[in-house]
Amino acid sequence: MTTVGELSKAIGGQLSVGQDATGAADKPLGRASIDTRELSAGEVFWALRGPQLDGTAFVAAAFARGADGAIVAAEVDVPDDRWVIRVRDTQDALWRAAAWY
């Protein structure tokens, strides 16, 4: 079982939690998705940047669809019961996570 805190350390990120998400670092990770249209409750949104779109623009939509947390490369609002891991580059962090896993 991989936790939010373990992932944050593995990808060199900074974990931020909402007011009601205490203990998020010990929470097991759900499935990851890069597409909010395919996201289910309890999953993690990985906000990748592409040549035409920046996934950061979809973080609020991911939380609205029930994502527990998000991996981002920019400042975003963290809802009270959610978490985010902020990294320098989300694609690099994805590669780090894959290598670590």
Side-chain angles (χ1 to χ4, degrees):
M1 169 177 64
T2 302
T3 67
V4 173
E6 291 170 337
L7 176 64
S8 181
K9 288 178 187 173
I11 63 176
Q14 181 175 343
L15 177 62
S16 297
V17 299
Q19 182 175 336
D20 298 332
T22 56
D26 297 325
K27 187 172 184 174
L29 282 172
R31 186 177 84 89
S33 179
I34 63 168
D35 188 340
T36 57
R37 297 168 296 181
E38 297 177 5
L39 193 68
S40 296
E43 294 183 346
V44 178
F45 178 61
W46 213 287
L48 294 177
R49 286 186 179 158
Q52 296 179 350
L53 293 174
D54 181 354
T56 304
F58 300 96
V59 171
F63 286 139
R65 289 194 52 97
D68 274 352
I71 314 300
V72 299
E75 287 291 328
V76 296
D77 291 329
V78 184
D80 287 344
D81 58 345
R82 311 291 183 189
W83 55 266
V84 298
I85 298 174
R86 186 162 180 214
V87 296
R88 294 181 104 170
D89 181 315
T90 53
Q91 186 164 346
D92 180 61
L94 184 58
W95 285 112
R96 286 178 186 226
W100 169 73
Y101 186 73

